Each structure stands twice: as C-alpha cells, then as structure tokens.
Amino acid sequence: MPKTQARTCLAVILAAGEGTRMKSALPKVLHQVANRSMLAQVLASVQAAGADRIAVVVGPGREDVAAEALRVEPACEIFVQSERLGTAHAVLAARKALEAGCDDLVIAFADTPLVQPETFAALRAPLADGASVAALGFEARDPTGYGRLLQQDGALVAIREHKDASEAERAVTLCNAGLIGLDGARALEILTAIGNANAQKEFYLTDAVEVSRKLGGRAVCVVAPETEVMGVNDRVQLAAAEAVLQKRLREAAMRAGATLIAPDTVFLSHDTQLGCDVVVEPNVVFGPAVRVGEGAVIHAFSHLAEASVAAGASIGPFARLRPGARIGEKAKVGNFVEIKAADIGAGAAVSHLTYIGDATVGAHANIGAGTITCNYDGFDKARTIIGEGAFIGSNSALVAPVQVGDGAYVGSGSVITKDVAPDALAVARGRQIEKAGWAGAFRKAHEGKPKKRPG
Ligand code: UD1
Ligand code: MG
C-alpha cells in the first residue's frame, strides 16, 4: 500500500477570490467547466486524491459559494476569510480545521480547476517521505506574473513572487502553480511564522518554503504540465480551461470504447457515461447526467441532458432529450423529436417531428410524425400513457391526462381527449366529405376577377 493511503489528509480549498475580471454577477468559482462549477470540480479532485476532510475558505457574505460547496460535499467545513490579506492568511482562516490535526495538508485553489487527483496525490507523496513542504511547479511558456521556484542542489529553497524577484530570478521558467502540500504536524507552526514583508504586503503561502527551511524542514517541488495548473481569471481563460477539460473527457470516452466521429465537435459533461461501441456523430451536446448504453447511436446535432439511452437505441439527428427522458433498448427517437420526463419502451419508435412530455410509451409502440402530448394546461402537468404495441397515427394530439391501451390504434389527425381501450381504434376528427365538381364551380364564379398575389 502506498504510504499516502495510511495517512490522513485535510484539503483546504481557497475560494475567496474576487473574480472581478469575470465581469459577472456570479462569483468566479461558481462559473462552470464541463457543466459543473470550478469549485465542484476541485472538490471532486481533492476527494479523489484521498482527502478525508475538506475545508473551503470563502469571502465574506459569499453564502452562494458556501452553499455550492455544501451541495457537492455536505461534510465539508466552511470558513470565512474576512479580509483578503494573502494566501497564507486565507489558509489560516481554516485554523480550526488545521488544529484538529492531519498528516498531510493539501492547499488547492478553486479557480485552478484542471488539477488531476493524481497530481494532488503526488504532492502528498514527499510529505510521507518526511518533507515539510511540497510545492507544485510547471515550466511556463511565459513566466511573467508567476512565482518562481528557486532550487539549489536539487532542493527547493524559495518561491519568489514575480513582483519581489530579481532579474536573475525572473529568468527562471519553473513557476509556482500555487498549490502546496504541507506536513500536517508542522503546518500551523509554518503558517503562523509567515510574515508580510513583501511588495504586496500580503501573507504569502509561498513563503512556507523559506520558513520551513529555517525551522529545519525540507522543501521539494513536484512538476505538472502547464495545462493542468492553468488558473482562470477571465472568460477567455475559462474557455481555455473548458477546452482542456473537453479534450480530456473526449479522450477518456474514446479510450473506454465509444466512437466519436468528430471529437472536437462533441461536448461532454464531467459525468457523461458512454457505453462500449456507442457511436456519437458530429455536433452532439451532452448536458449533465446523461448515460448512453452499449451500441447506441447518437446522430448528428442532438442535445441530451439528464437523460438515459439504453443499449442499441438510436437518437436523432436533431433530437432533444430533456431531463427525465429514458429511452429503452433499441428504441428509436428520430429527427426533430423532443422527449421530456418520459419513458420510451424497448423497440418503440418516435421517428419524426414529435413532442412527448410527461408520458409513458409502451414497448414497440409506434408514434407517428407530428404527434404531440398536450401535457400542460397553463397550471398543471398531466401524464399520457401509451400501451405496448399501440399505434398513434400521424399528427395526433393526445390531451393529458389520457391513456391509450395496449395494441390500440389512433387515427391520423385525431385529438384524443378520452381513454382508448386496448386493441380499439379511436378516430377523433371531422369526417371527410366530398362535393363533386365543387372546385370547377368555384373557379367559374371567380372568372375575370383580379387575383391577389399569394402569400
Ligand atoms: C499565486 C502564487 C504564485 C503562483 C500563482 C499561480 C501566492 C502568494 N502566489 O499568485 O506564486 O505563481 O498563484 O497562479 O500564493 N486567495 C484568497 N485569499 C487571499 C488571497 C488569495 O482566498 O487573501 C485565493 C485566490 O482567490 C486564489 C488563490 O488564493 O484562488 C491565489 O491567489 P491569487 O491572488 O490569484 O495569487 P496569485 O497572485 O495568482
Ligand atoms: Mg491567481
């Protein structure tokens, strides 16, 4: 068993950022990547890295950020940093959590959403080997603005903020990602010894390196790819982070056995589940909580959210599955079809131009083109139940609540307001009448009159 698994871990997530460059009414860390907040993304990542306890540090009055943290992880502890006096000061806002003790303390930033669980775990490993501080570094293409990791003889001796760095130090390209691991037994001693004698008069977490060395400890750095430690400060960076995450999700889906014909055009959520041999055609969007079973095909330009598709089903092109759509095995949902809160039975076909909402469609039923379930009367929603093997003729309106029995037929163009018995035929439209020669007589009556243009 790796040493880290036996050790207790407290993760402190700093989420007290101002985020003014987002130009948004929403706090920065609640902006989403792959359909969950950056905060939720980081919470999931530290949890997967084995954090037993999580403390989230929020800004004053940020109940919305606290609520999101508790929604994702009800057991996390919330602390408020009342004044923004620096990253070390922010960690000390969670002092109570630190005082409860831990073997490893991992500090994460909620606006740095791409860090993988393995990377957080890699920060813990040197702590298990006796290091006091493990800082996460990356080779920056453009190091301007970042803290520099200063090494001597293989040891990390200091992290120098850009504003405080000399010319020689600024030439260093190994930069500080910000995330840091601290030996839990010494964390409080190190953090409280950090001062604010620097260009920004802030209590820098990065000073943990020099402080711990003065206290006789050892500091090391762990290197991650630059794309993983990218911070988000504005919407351009948010889109860049989204792109990195989408690439990861697409590659994971393909490695797990799904075919994405044009992966760059498919948008996935953090929790999209695609079974083996699923084929996703170009330009498909997966909102949150979508599960697609083995061998199903999602044709081009479809949009799915909070929906499930069973094995062998076929969706789209141009289909929309809204929350609560559950499509059965080998069922077909065709073009310009919208399904909401409805079960479509195995082998059923809803092939064209249809809205099925708040409904149950039995196995092997056939829903003709243009069928609408009228589920809403302006106040309440009501259900439509269509039996197994039923056949709904094209352009029918089913006014809910209503039930069509197993094997029943509904004639095309019907407006069904009453239940239809199993195996019956219901026709609810005007009867066709025919007036022989009527058209000729009509034209004759208009002969010689000026014609208006059509349209
Ligand atoms: C920090 C690092 C820098 C690193 C860079 C990487 C420090 C001192 N510097 O700088 O070495 O290269 O990240 O992006 O750590 N925060 C609080 N309360 C505060 C101050 C900050 O919660 O009082 C939070 C911020 O919301 C943010 C994180 O801590 O999530 C980092 O703070 P930020 O001001 O962005 O630090 P940088 O100057 O980017
Ligand atoms: Mg920053």
Side-chain angles (χ1 to χ4, degrees):
M1 183 163 71
K3 284 182 196 161
T4 47
Q5 283 186 15
R7 294 167 64 90
T8 59
C9 176
L10 166 67
V12 175
I13 301 179
L14 303 190
E18 287 169 334
T20 45
R21 279 162 62 193
M22 298 299 280
K23 306 235 164 64
S24 175
L26 195 67
K28 175 165 76 173
V29 300
L30 299 190
H31 281 260
Q32 297 203 332
V33 282
N35 276 314
R36 69 174 156 186
S37 66
M38 292 196 273
L39 175 59
Q41 177 81 19
V42 174
L43 274 163
S45 195
V46 295
Q47 225 160 17
D52 318 277
R53 285 186 301 135
I54 301 176
V56 180
V57 178
V58 305
R62 282 270 73 114
E63 280 80 17
D64 43 7
V65 176
E68 167 69 353
L70 290 167
R71 183 189 67 77
V72 177
E73 181 41 65
C76 75
E77 298 169 75
I78 307 291
F79 297 91
V80 177
Q81 185 195 18
S82 41
E83 261 185 299
R84 255 180 86 87
L85 299 179
T87 40
H89 179 261
V91 178
L92 280 172
R95 193 180 197 117
K96 277 226 170 65
L98 302 181
E99 281 168 355
C102 62
D103 295 321
D104 301 339
L105 171 64
V106 172
I107 294 143
F109 296 168
D111 67 354
T112 305
L114 301 177
V115 182
Q116 307 261 39
E118 305 77 60
T119 304
F120 283 120
L123 273 184
R124 296 183 58 194
L127 304 177
D129 286 334
S132 293
V133 181
L136 190 63
F138 65 102
E139 278 297 335
R141 268 171 310 162
D142 175 9
T144 315
Y146 290 113
R148 307 298 205 281
L149 296 186
L150 307 181
Q151 289 175 291
Q152 247 168 36
D153 309 323
L156 180 62
V157 292
I159 304 178
R160 191 82 69 236
E161 288 307 289
H162 184 87
K163 285 184 181 154
D164 302 302
S166 66
E167 273 311 305
E169 288 167 345
R170 284 186 183 180
V172 173
T173 52
L174 185 63
C175 289
N176 177 33
L179 320 183
I180 273 181
L182 291 179
D183 171 12
R186 282 173 279 186
L188 263 175
E189 187 190 0
I190 294 169
L191 289 165
T192 48
I194 291 175
N196 66 347
N198 53 54
Q200 304 187 88
K201 297 279 166 291
E202 279 191 11
F203 296 89
Y204 290 160
L205 178 59
T206 46
D207 284 349
V209 171
E210 280 169 289
V211 167
S212 78
R213 283 172 60 86
K214 278 192 195 127
L215 295 169
R218 183 162 61 86
V220 297
C221 84
V222 170
V223 179
E226 183 165 11
T227 45
E228 205 181 320
V229 298
M230 171 196 297
V232 171
N233 294 312
D234 61 26
R235 296 189 203 231
V236 175
Q237 291 171 337
L238 184 69
E242 179 78 47
V244 172
L245 213 48
Q246 286 298 332
K247 186 165 184 289
R248 255 188 222 169
L249 291 167
R250 290 167 189 143
E251 286 177 3
M254 291 187 280
R255 295 223 158 85
T259 294
L260 309 188
I261 294 172
D264 289 350
T265 70
V266 173
F267 286 81
L268 299 162
S269 284
H270 65 96
D271 58 354
T272 305
Q273 292 177 43
L274 304 180
C276 235
D277 291 320
V278 163
V279 175
V280 182
E281 289 187 355
N283 297 299
V284 171
V285 176
F286 292 93
V290 175
R291 216 174 54 239
V292 181
E294 284 179 19
V297 181
I298 314 296
H299 293 279
F301 295 99
S302 294
H303 190 290
L304 301 81
E306 293 171 49
S308 68
V309 176
S314 167
I315 309 297
F318 297 99
R320 179 163 185 213
L321 302 187
R322 290 175 50 202
R326 284 195 295 262
I327 314 303
E329 273 188 30
K330 296 191 177 153
K332 179 182 176 197
V333 172
N335 42 250
F336 308 110
V337 170
E338 174 179 337
I339 312 269
K340 185 217 71 169
D343 285 287
I344 307 298
V350 191
S351 298
H352 341 259
L353 298 157
T354 289
Y355 172 61
I356 302 287
D358 301 302
T360 303
V361 174
H364 303 288
N366 186 83
I367 312 295
T371 298
I372 304 288
T373 53
C374 310
N375 59 328
Y376 184 49
D377 62 9
F379 295 93
D380 291 316
K381 302 274 170 74
R383 289 192 72 77
T384 300
I385 296 169
I386 297 168
E388 285 187 16
F391 185 100
I392 311 297
S394 294
N395 206 32
S396 293
L398 306 169
V399 183
V402 74
Q403 196 160 344
V404 176
D406 290 349
Y409 267 68
V410 166
S412 299
S414 290
V415 177
I416 298 295
T417 55
K418 286 191 260 179
D419 290 354
V420 180
D423 285 324
L425 166 68
V427 184
R429 56 170 139 85
R431 258 181 194 287
Q432 185 168 327
I433 56 166
E434 188 164 320
K435 298 184 178 175
W438 181 93
F442 180 75
R443 276 188 218 103
K444 197 148 195 229
H446 287 76
E447 229 166 49
K449 291 185 186 164
K451 253 188 188 174
K452 286 199 173 131
R453 287 166 61 84

